[in-house]
Amino acid sequence: MSDHYERVKIELQQMKEVKNEAAADGVQLSPASVSLVPADVSFTARRDQSKSNINGRSRSKSRSKGDGHERQVNGKQLPELTPQKSDYSQGQSRVSNEPTLHIKGTARLLKGKTAANGHVETDVKCEHHGKEAKKRRAVTVDTSKAKTSLEALKMSIRQLKWKEFPIGRRTACDIYWHGVSFHDNENIISGQVNKFPGMIEMLRKINLSRAVRTMQELFPEEYNFYPRSWILPEEYQLFSSQIRLLKDNDSTLKHTFIVKPDSGSQGDGIYLIREPADLRVISGSQIKQAVVQEYIQKPLLIDKLKFDIRLYVLVRSLEPLEIYIAKEGLSRFCTEPYQEPSQKNLSHVFMHLTNYSLNVHSGNFVHSDSCSTGSKRTFSSVLYRLASKGVDIKKVWSDIIALVIKTVIALVPELKVYYQADIPLGKPGPTCFQILGFDILLMKNLKPVLLEVNANPSMRIEHEQEVSPGVFEYVPSPVDEEVKVGVIRDTLRLMDPAQRKQHVTSSTGGGSPEEAIVVETGSDEKEGLADSLPSLCLKQVFPKYTKQFNYLRVVERIATIFLRFLGVKGTMRLGPTSFRTFIRNCKLSSSSFSMASVDILYIDITRRWAGMLPDSKEAGMCLQAFTAAFFYLAARRFKALPLREQVLLLLEVCEGALEGQSHSEKPRPHRSHTNPASSQSSAPTTFSSPALTRRRHRPQQLSAKANTEN
Ligand code: ADP
């Protein structure tokens, strides 16, 4: 972004704030000027920007991704233009049932006090539909790092009548909205941030595959929604030999594999192969870090086209675990009729890859104002279409909910380690939440398959369109706006500090744990939110379905033990002494398993994992390696049982030993969780690490601690 453009943007924001401050001070302005809708000049600036970028090629260079991530290279954000207000959003939301949110008419500003930074804190008393709304301070949101989600975020904040700080604020805000990572704004010590530390790392293709694979080892049936994957380069030999075996068994079977670079997004660098020998190499014949995955050959087609589903999932808290799924999502369509892969069509990206960012460049891409036609549609329109053909869409939806919950359960253990490393106990920090983008494919038999999870799903509500040959412009996208503004607005509503406080102290946040997964057709959330807003589009699925899924949280229990022995603040790796202490305290050594063997085990496993995580600079045993060691110890001790039972038995041994010690060290809270809010939903641990136990005494801070786009 040019400096000039940035300056213009800041000036415009300041002009807007002067207006807002004047309003808050009770200065009489015309209703139009009190409006929270940004000034027209903002649009002019943006229009100028889009005009000055009419060269198709340079335009697409600065393009951010469509429905993938914020564009990143090696985890870094590439520079891009921050969208400003566009004409369609000048107070005229396309979401039909959204009220216009100008402070005018019956709303009266009661008092304003000047905050340290000169901004005006307002206590606004609104009389809505003749009823006096509860008097409360407007929630403050720092949007200075929101990047491409800015447009949708601004709309959401306006609809909620909250207060935006577009260039940040010297004093703390209630909510910080980051475009890329937890670290976009450093030194946040309070409030809530819309990112967890470590989420980007966890959702890189290799790490996601590893996390799911660990769960597959324990629960193969439950985790069969993720295609068989091999991690390259370390599993190249394994991949080659397994494919050879498959072919030897049945030479008529034609398998296809999809190769995905580890840090790729938007379909970048993805290709299909049929033979291990077709893997592309880089200089020095070194295979790039990538995941090679079984290609789903028989996807469900609509109008002969392959499509995938982008679903938005809110992880509202890690401890207790709270997950929401947006009832509405997007379906992204290929632009060339699908055929099963053959040597001839392997390179047809418009046939095999559903990425918006690729297909938008096909001549066949259909932009549509309707949500049920075109190359990008709402997911509900696809469900209606399927229902009209007799498909049991309730089953499809409940399978998708199960897939989402299981995937988040696979991610949580390591996220907790990242969290504790980033915001060690005792250090003030914010609470965290995050919107994730789940990419799901429906197979012909309607089984959902997880393709990937995006830590930064695009929240852009405009799309790029070729307005004349070679000339691209961003134009409003009604489908994106419909879906994404709802997701952001409702996320904010759920994170409203007042709402959250009430939620944590007075409820477990969910329905009966016995409840089966039910598809709700109505919108009956009883969150006590303003009558004037549309009903919540986010549906809570956890802890609502705790009973069905809690048994899967086995690795989380291993992580709790790991965290207890991690000890040193700010680290994610266990040293050899701590590993020895773990063995000793859990009474795992014996005459046949001496401490010398323990040291050898530590060295072996740590070295193996160091080779698998070449980028890591930290020495020691990571959680994945500790989990591998735990599995080994379980298998050694409880021979002849299935792995899952071995691990569960060893967990009981360890938790029992540690709990005994905790009791003898000093009085501890009861085993069950002391935080009323977490009684149903917290990890099914029978033993708590000191850190997590202490957090449970501080419900607000708990989420902050454990809760360390697009
Ligand atoms: P990226 O992050 O680069 O978008 P994805 O994993 O989402 O990578 O893959 C890109 C596209 O490739 C998906 O949107 C989907 O259309 C297709 N795809 C990915 N994995 C598979 C698979 N295992 N089988 C069939 N198609 C797949």
Side-chain angles (χ1 to χ4, degrees):
M1 185 187 308
S2 76
D3 289 342
H4 171 72
Y5 182 77
E6 185 60 65
R7 263 200 313 279
V8 170
K9 202 181 98 191
I10 290 169
E11 279 163 18
L12 291 171
Q13 297 293 8
Q14 283 165 348
M15 282 167 62
K16 197 175 72 188
E17 278 165 28
V18 168
K19 283 184 183 178
N20 286 343
E21 286 172 16
D25 278 328
V27 176
Q28 287 300 307
L29 298 172
S30 69
S33 56
V34 186
S35 161
L36 295 179
V37 176
D40 288 344
V41 272
S42 180
F43 170 53
T44 315
R46 184 186 172 275
R47 205 169 41 197
D48 288 342
Q49 166 246 310
S50 71
K51 272 189 183 156
S52 64
N53 278 293
I54 52 171
N55 176 305
R57 271 207 244 146
S58 65
R59 188 88 189 86
S60 56
K61 264 188 189 165
S62 68
R63 186 185 72 237
S64 153
K65 65 185 304 179
D67 282 300
H69 315 257
E70 290 280 1
R71 182 165 274 274
Q72 291 171 36
V73 170
N74 295 334
K76 291 211 173 79
Q77 176 74 15
L78 287 185
E80 62 184 32
L81 294 166
T82 307
Q84 287 293 289
K85 296 308 313 161
S86 58
D87 50 353
Y88 68 95
S89 60
Q90 300 279 315
Q92 294 162 21
S93 171
R94 281 169 184 270
V95 183
S96 55
N97 50 352
E98 291 162 0
T100 316
L101 292 162
H102 296 218
I103 299 180
K104 63 180 181 182
T106 55
R108 279 186 292 127
L109 299 166
L110 288 186
K111 64 177 181 185
K113 61 177 191 290
T114 310
N117 63 351
H119 282 289
V120 176
E121 302 272 311
T122 54
D123 279 344
V124 181
K125 183 180 180 184
C126 296
E127 287 161 19
H128 187 78
H129 300 305
K131 267 192 262 165
E132 195 174 292
K134 203 177 156 198
K135 180 183 152 189
R136 54 176 291 212
R137 183 179 66 84
V139 179
T140 53
V141 187
D142 180 334
T143 61
S144 60
K145 307 285 182 191
K147 304 256 176 200
T148 55
S149 47
L150 188 63
E151 194 82 6
L153 181 61
K154 278 176 180 289
M155 276 192 190
S156 304
I157 293 171
R158 278 203 303 275
Q159 290 175 15
L160 293 166
K161 297 183 181 175
W162 288 7
K163 192 163 168 52
E164 182 195 353
F165 285 81
I167 52 171
R169 189 188 191 200
R170 249 175 272 152
T171 53
C173 275
D174 296 309
I175 294 178
Y176 296 83
W177 199 273
H178 291 182
V180 181
S181 111
F182 175 76
H183 298 285
D184 287 355
N185 257 312
E186 292 292 352
N187 306 323
I188 302 173
I189 53 164
S190 64
Q192 306 181 70
V193 179
N194 70 323
K195 303 284 177 206
F196 284 98
M199 192 66 94
I200 292 179
E201 291 79 357
M202 272 313 294
L203 293 180
R204 285 171 74 141
K205 293 178 170 58
I206 288 182
N207 281 340
L208 175 67
S209 299
R210 281 210 175 104
V212 174
R213 185 185 292 178
T214 303
M215 296 306 291
Q216 285 173 333
E217 283 180 51
L218 293 169
F219 304 99
E221 300 282 302
E222 287 88 339
Y223 279 83
N224 67 7
F225 57 82
Y226 191 66
R228 194 164 175 191
S229 305
W230 295 263
I231 292 162
L232 299 179
E234 77 201 41
E235 292 176 351
Y236 174 72
Q237 292 303 341
L238 184 71
F239 172 58
S240 301
S241 58
Q242 288 186 340
I243 302 315
R244 206 175 312 120
L245 206 67
L246 280 175
K247 285 195 172 152
D248 289 350
N249 286 345
D250 186 349
S251 58
T252 59
L253 273 181
K254 286 273 175 226
H255 292 277
T256 305
F257 304 92
I258 183 163
V259 188
K260 310 179 186 183
D262 182 34
S263 50
S265 63
Q266 301 183 282
D268 278 352
I270 290 188
Y271 58 98
L272 303 187
I273 58 167
R274 306 203 100 175
E275 300 289 339
D278 296 336
L279 279 169
R280 291 181 200 159
V281 293
I282 54 166
S283 55
S285 73
Q286 180 71 44
I287 298 166
K288 283 184 193 173
Q289 285 226 303
V291 167
V292 57
Q293 194 171 72
E294 176 192 349
Y295 185 74
I296 305 299
Q297 309 218 31
K298 294 186 191 302
L300 183 70
L301 305 180
I302 288 185
D303 300 334
K304 300 195 175 127
L305 299 171
K306 177 175 172 178
F307 66 97
D308 77 350
I309 305 157
R310 158 60 57 85
L311 272 188
Y312 298 94
V313 170
L314 169 68
V315 178
R316 189 189 191 200
S317 150
L318 286 185
E319 184 72 35
L321 182 59
E322 288 185 51
I323 310 169
Y324 289 73
I325 301 187
K327 291 178 197 164
E328 186 59 285
L330 294 169
S331 299
R332 289 113 21 128
F333 283 72
C334 278
T335 43
E336 185 182 332
Y338 185 77
Q339 287 168 12
E340 281 196 32
S342 68
Q343 207 57 47
K344 266 201 212 150
N345 68 31
L346 278 192
S347 59
H348 291 212
V349 286
F350 299 145
M351 176 188 286
H352 293 294
L353 306 188
T354 49
N355 298 78
Y356 161 82
S357 50
L358 298 173
N359 284 281
V360 76
H361 296 291
S362 141
N364 295 335
F365 191 93
V366 181
H367 290 283
S368 168
D369 274 358
S370 155
C371 291
S372 54
T373 57
S375 299
K376 197 194 272 190
R377 310 179 193 175
T378 55
F379 178 44
S380 60
S381 76
V382 166
L383 283 179
Y384 283 128
R385 176 93 178 256
L386 296 177
S388 72
K389 293 186 172 164
V391 168
D392 180 357
I393 57 166
K394 290 192 174 188
K395 164 96 172 67
V396 172
W397 188 228
S398 74
D399 287 349
I400 288 176
I401 291 175
L403 176 154
V404 167
I405 296 173
K406 289 173 189 173
T407 305
V408 176
I409 284 176
L411 298 170
V412 164
E414 209 150 352
L415 286 174
K416 284 187 168 178
V417 177
Y418 274 103
Y419 180 82
Q420 185 165 304
D422 239 295
I423 313 179
L425 194 69
K427 185 180 155 193
T431 53
C432 300
F433 60 95
Q434 188 151 356
I435 298 171
L436 305 175
F438 274 66
D439 290 350
I440 294 166
L441 191 71
L442 287 180
M443 289 169 59
K444 200 174 174 185
N445 63 6
L446 298 168
K447 181 180 160 61
V449 169
L450 177 67
L451 299 178
E452 71 158 344
V453 188
N454 291 284
N456 294 313
S458 167
M459 285 296 173
R460 253 189 201 285
I461 51 176
E462 309 160 301
H463 59 212
E464 210 180 349
Q465 198 165 0
E466 194 166 13
V467 287
S468 56
V471 181
F472 289 85
E473 248 183 32
Y474 280 113
V475 297
S477 167
V479 181
D480 287 281
E481 185 178 323
E482 166 101 24
V483 174
K484 295 174 183 175
V485 173
V487 170
I488 293 187
R489 183 192 57 230
D490 289 351
T491 296
L492 291 174
R493 286 162 80 180
L494 285 168
M495 304 318 296
D496 177 343
Q499 187 71 28
R500 196 171 167 84
K501 202 167 168 186
Q502 197 182 27
H503 172 88
V504 172
T505 52
S506 69
S507 81
T508 54
S512 154
E514 280 87 37
E515 209 171 333
I517 294 183
V518 182
V519 178
E520 288 166 17
T521 44
S523 41
D524 55 355
E525 267 76 1
K526 295 174 186 68
E527 299 279 347
L529 296 158
D531 300 341
S532 56
L533 291 165
S535 61
L536 277 178
C537 72
L538 289 167
K539 172 191 160 64
Q540 193 202 68
V541 294
F542 204 91
K544 187 166 188 170
Y545 303 125
T546 299
K547 184 107 183 220
Q548 292 95 318
F549 298 100
N550 235 25
Y551 74 99
L552 299 171
R553 300 170 73 186
V554 171
V555 183
E556 211 174 321
R557 289 167 64 186
I558 298 176
T560 303
I561 297 175
F562 177 79
L563 284 169
R564 180 180 174 116
F565 289 96
L566 206 51
V568 186
K569 289 175 180 176
T571 178
M572 294 180 64
R573 303 289 176 99
L574 205 64
T577 312
S578 302
F579 188 68
R580 276 174 148 250
T581 313
F582 150 66
I583 296 285
R584 203 175 296 118
N585 288 11
C586 292
K587 303 185 173 55
L588 299 182
S589 60
S590 64
S591 53
S592 65
F593 188 56
S594 66
M595 287 316 270
S597 317
V598 170
D599 290 340
I600 292 171
L601 174 67
Y602 177 88
I603 292 167
D604 264 4
I605 291 193
T606 305
R607 194 175 290 159
R608 183 144 46 89
W609 277 89
M612 292 196 271
L613 306 167
D615 297 341
S616 174
K617 291 176 192 83
E618 220 184 317
M621 185 181 249
C622 62
L623 175 64
Q624 291 159 332
F626 182 78
T627 306
F630 201 91
F631 284 10
Y632 169 82
L633 292 167
R636 201 176 180 285
R637 188 160 178 144
F638 303 103
K639 297 183 181 74
L641 288 175
L643 177 68
R644 188 194 320 182
E645 284 172 44
Q646 292 171 337
V647 169
L648 286 171
L649 285 170
L650 190 68
L651 271 170
E652 276 177 28
V653 169
C654 295
E655 288 167 351
L658 294 172
E659 187 158 296
Q661 282 164 26
S662 302
H663 283 306
S664 62
E665 280 164 18
K666 56 180 171 179
R668 284 199 168 270
H670 189 266
R671 279 155 59 128
S672 65
H673 304 128
T674 51
N675 174 7
S678 62
S679 60
Q680 285 186 9
S681 54
S682 276
T685 44
T686 50
F687 141 77
S688 302
S689 80
L692 292 177
T693 307
R694 250 187 291 158
R695 282 175 200 161
R696 285 183 191 119
H697 286 290
R698 294 182 292 151
Q700 279 290 100
Q701 194 60 13
L702 166 67
S703 296
K705 294 300 169 191
N707 302 342
T708 62
E709 162 178 351
N710 241 349

